[in-house]
Structures are given as C-alpha cells and as structure tokens.
Amino acid sequence: MRQIEIFDRPAAYGLVTRLLHWSIAGLILWQFTGMILRGILGRHPVSGFFVGLHQPIGALLFVMILARILWALVNRRRRPPHGAGLIGLAARLGHFALYAVMLVVPLSALLRAFGQERAFAPFGITVFPARDEPVAWMVTLGDALHGEVAWLLLALILGHVAMVIVHEWLWRDRTLARMAGRG
C-alpha cells in the first residue's frame, strides 16, 4: 500500500498542495462560469444559480488562497523544481503572477465590500457591518479592479493550462503526474 505524502517532495506535490490546488481550481471555475453565464444570459435562473453564491465562494477562495500561499512557503524547499535557465525562470514568474493576481481579485472585492453601505456577511457570518455612508474611494477602486483583474486571472489560468499541455504532450516530463501525486 502506498503511503500518503502530506508534504511536497521533489518528485511530487503532497496531498495538501494538491487538495488546495484542485479545490481552488474548481471554485474559480464556478466563479467564471457564473460570470460568463451572466454575461450571456443576463439575469436568468441558470446564471443566478452560480452568481448567487459568488460572494461566499469568493470569501472561501480568499481563505483557501491564503492557505495555499502559506503552505507553499512551508514547502518551498521541498517542492518539485521548476527547472533551470529561462524556462525555469518563466515558470517561477508565471506562478508568482498567478498567486499575486489570485490575491488581488478577492482583496479588491473585500475593499469594495468594506466601503459599501451594506454589510458583508458570507455564509451568514458578518465580516464587515453595514455603514451609514459608503467610502467612495474604496468602492470605486474595488469596482475598477475586481472584474478587470479577474479577467487577467482567467488569461493567466489559460496560459497555465497551455503550459501543462506543453509539458505533457510536447516535453513529456510528467509535470501533471507530479501535480496528481504520482511523481
């Protein structure tokens, strides 16, 4: 029987990294599905099914992204290498960009929520109480950043997926196997 590795190791990512990676991926897919359906269908029960959970899922994503970043720091010396040279540098920079943008998207939404008049209470838990007056600069900056940076995140994710395809079918270096824990 194969032992379950909690921590990352040079040959493969550990269970916690994989659970966080694939859970975050699934929730981000949910968020984009809702926004794309809303763009296509407008206010419709199908898009409403996804968009109605946008705020609580976004809050959950924020917590999971913070956990993923902390877990990556804990495992920074154990993780599979990104490679050497220019390709390794590009991989490190690409991952850094993904982490940074994954943080900016929910942070901008939280800034907007903090500045709004209504309470922010995902899952019924009050994070920010209602205000008497909105804080205009917070709402304006949050509005300006959240959606635009989210589409940048989608572009980075598509690039990430494209590189998985390159690794698997062109270079055949078993990168996907390491992310699946079979390294």
Side-chain angles (χ1 to χ4, degrees), residues 82-177:
H82 283 101
L86 214 47
I87 291 175
L89 177 62
R92 284 188 294 281
L93 290 174
H95 282 100
F96 178 80
L98 270 169
Y99 282 107
V101 172
M102 279 194 303
L103 271 178
V104 170
V105 172
L107 282 173
S108 60
L110 287 171
L111 178 69
R112 177 178 59 197
F114 186 72
Q116 290 178 336
E117 290 175 295
R118 64 182 179 268
F120 175 67
F123 302 106
I125 301 165
T126 301
V127 178
F128 306 133
R131 300 179 163 275
D132 293 332
E133 299 276 328
V135 181
W137 74 267
M138 290 180 174
V139 175
T140 301
L141 183 58
D143 278 342
L145 289 176
H146 184 67
E148 300 302 323
V149 177
W151 295 115
L152 172 60
L153 176 60
L154 181 60
L156 288 171
I157 290 168
L158 293 174
H160 187 67
V161 170
M163 286 312 300
V164 168
I165 292 167
V166 168
H167 276 279
E168 285 302 303
W169 286 283
L170 187 63
W171 297 341
R172 299 184 187 275
D173 63 1
R174 299 190 36 81
T175 294
L176 189 57

Side-chain angles (χ1 to χ4, degrees), residues 30-46:
W30 177 280
Q31 297 290 68
F32 278 112
T33 299
M35 292 298 100
I36 291 167
L37 286 173
R38 190 174 84 177
I40 295 168
L41 303 173
R43 292 188 180 269
H44 186 276
V46 173

Side-chain angles (χ1 to χ4, degrees), residues 19-111:
L19 284 174
L20 287 169
H21 177 275
W22 294 110
S23 298
I24 289 169
L27 291 175
I28 287 174
L29 178 63
W30 177 280
Q31 297 290 68
F32 278 112
T33 299
M35 292 298 100
I36 291 167
L37 286 173
R38 190 174 84 177
I40 295 168
L41 303 173
R43 292 188 180 269
H44 186 276
V46 173
S47 60
F49 175 72
F50 290 92
V51 175
L53 294 172
H54 191 81
Q55 192 178 77
I57 287 179
L60 178 60
L61 269 167
F62 181 62
V63 170
M64 292 177 73
I65 290 163
L66 289 176
R68 174 118 163 96
I69 290 169
L70 291 172
W71 188 252
L73 290 172
V74 166
N75 282 276
R76 71 184 174 277
R77 289 184 173 42
R78 296 183 188 104
R79 299 172 74 91
H82 283 101
L86 214 47
I87 291 175
L89 177 62
R92 284 188 294 281
L93 290 174
H95 282 100
F96 178 80
L98 270 169
Y99 282 107
V101 172
M102 279 194 303
L103 271 178
V104 170
V105 172
L107 282 173
S108 60
L110 287 171
L111 178 69

